[in-house]
Amino acid sequence: MNHTITGEDFSKIDLRVGTIISAIDFPKARNPASRIQIDFGNESGIRKSSAQLTERYEKDTLIRKQVIAVVNFPKKQIANFMSECLILGAVDGKDVILLQPETFVYNGLKIS
């Protein structure tokens, strides 16, 4: 079900580009996942996220990948971990394909 939003609604979402700086197993997650740290530059800093990326990505291949994430989402407790942002991806069942810039951009660059 699709819900229409306004331009004002969309402007409330703070989408930023960041670079993954670490990815480790998250065995306490209900579904296979990784605990990820992302550098969003000076303004947004380093944020943590839990992501179910294990179908397509090995942890070591995630390092230095740039991703797009919502950085003004409320923090969410996942098992014993506090997720601080929402990484965006195209979802096909359990497979998640990361949304990424086509070329390198500076960490923290705003998406609009």
Side-chain angles (χ1 to χ4, degrees), residues 89-107:
V91 179
D92 183 12
K94 291 183 178 184
D95 189 17
V96 178
I97 299 100
L98 291 170
L99 298 186
Q100 300 177 274
E102 182 178 20
T103 187
F104 176 82
V105 298
Y106 294 107
N107 289 337

Side-chain angles (χ1 to χ4, degrees), residues 58-77:
E58 296 293 326
K59 292 179 303 301
D60 59 334
T61 65
L62 291 170
I63 308 303
R64 292 183 294 282
K65 277 194 185 301
Q66 287 198 301
V67 294
I68 298 168
V70 179
V71 297
N72 65 336
F73 234 48
K75 293 179 181 181
K76 182 176 181 179
Q77 181 86 37

Side-chain angles (χ1 to χ4, degrees), residues 26-33 50 78-79:
F26 188 11
K28 293 191 178 189
R30 187 176 310 135
N31 296 310
S50 170
I78 302 171

